[in-house]
Amino acid sequence: MAKQKGSGSVQNRPIYSRLSYLYQAAAHLGSASNDQKIDATTKQALEDGAHSTASQTQKSESHVKQAMARNLLKELRAISHKTQIRISPAIKHTICKSCDTLLVEGDTCTSTVENKSKGGKKPWADVLVVKCKTCGGVKRFPVQAPRQKRRPHREAKAQEEQHQTMVQGENLEAMVQDKQPRAMVQGEQTQAMDTNDG
């Protein structure tokens, strides 16, 4: 007999773990390129007076690490498209859409808050603008707006609301129809009482 699947099992677990690994590796390379740690060889080069060559080697190392991180993120995007697995919005916000650079605030991107309403009077019109320093690409995110649900969830909710209004309408019609015979019966009873009194 085959094993029974547990209720907590996730389909495509190896693919999800691969995507997670690629993102973590890219984040590590991105943060490693930002670190301004000076190793022993760089210290010796600075002491010897070769400051320019040490800084050039540091810059070239950081460029190589950023290129490797971009390659890993490009692979992450390709795998998610090929397997039709959605990347979470939190991860998407940290990846440049045009050049696949890991967006690190202050290093590879700049972010500002814009409000293009008249005089900036509408606080709900705030938009976070993230600009990639590598390619100049711009991403815009509404600051206070709630995320819209995916289409199947919206359609299911709309159908559910429509069904509820139909049920409420039918209940209302039934109540109105129930009240009319009672009113007629009560009206006939009052007429009969009036004729008996008279």
Side-chain angles (χ1 to χ4, degrees):
M1 269 211 293
K3 273 188 180 179
Q4 293 290 330
K5 287 189 178 181
S7 61
S9 66
V10 177
Q11 288 183 343
N12 301 324
R13 183 182 295 265
I15 297 171
Y16 279 108
S17 54
R18 176 73 177 157
L19 293 175
S20 175
Y21 169 76
L22 288 172
Y23 182 74
Q24 289 175 12
H28 176 69
L29 286 172
S31 66
S33 67
N34 298 336
D35 293 342
Q36 298 300 324
K37 296 179 181 177
I38 300 174
D39 58 355
T41 57
T42 311
K43 280 185 182 178
Q44 286 179 349
L46 288 175
E47 289 171 0
D48 293 340
H51 177 68
S52 62
T53 58
S55 64
Q56 286 176 353
T57 57
Q58 258 187 342
K59 285 181 182 178
S60 66
E61 284 179 12
S62 68
H63 286 298
V64 168
K65 288 181 180 178
Q66 284 183 354
M68 289 172 62
R70 273 197 299 273
N71 192 19
L72 290 173
L73 292 173
K74 194 177 294 185
E75 189 176 338
L76 180 141
R77 190 183 300 271
I79 289 173
S80 69
H81 282 301
K82 188 175 182 180
T83 57
Q84 295 181 348
I85 291 178
R86 293 180 190 266
I87 300 174
S88 71
I91 292 176
K92 281 185 183 177
H93 290 325
T94 61
I95 300 172
C96 180
K97 203 170 187 178
S98 56
C99 68
D100 290 326
T101 301
L102 184 70
L103 299 175
V104 178
E105 176 62 37
D107 183 42
T108 58
C109 72
T110 57
S111 61
T112 55
V113 177
E114 283 184 358
N115 190 334
K116 292 193 175 183
S117 61
K118 284 188 178 180
K121 294 180 181 178
K122 299 177 181 176
W124 59 87
D126 289 340
V127 175
L128 177 68
V129 179
V130 180
K131 185 173 183 179
C132 178
K133 289 183 179 178
T134 306
C135 67
V138 176
K139 294 177 108 178
R140 298 174 181 274
F141 307 106
V143 175
Q144 294 178 342
R147 259 188 86 71
Q148 188 177 25
K149 293 187 178 182
R150 293 189 186 135
R151 180 191 271 167
H153 296 290
R154 289 193 312 252
E155 290 173 353
K157 189 173 182 178
Q159 287 177 352
E160 190 176 301
E161 288 174 358
Q162 185 180 14
H163 178 69
Q164 287 178 352
T165 55
M166 287 176 50
V167 169
Q168 288 175 352
E170 290 173 359
N171 290 342
L172 190 69
E173 287 177 11
M175 287 174 51
V176 168
Q177 289 175 357
D178 286 346
K179 287 182 181 179
Q180 286 176 350
R182 288 182 191 159
M184 288 181 179
V185 169
Q186 288 177 354
E188 291 172 1
Q189 288 176 353
T190 53
Q191 287 178 357
M193 292 169 84
D194 289 340
T195 55
N196 290 341
D197 290 337

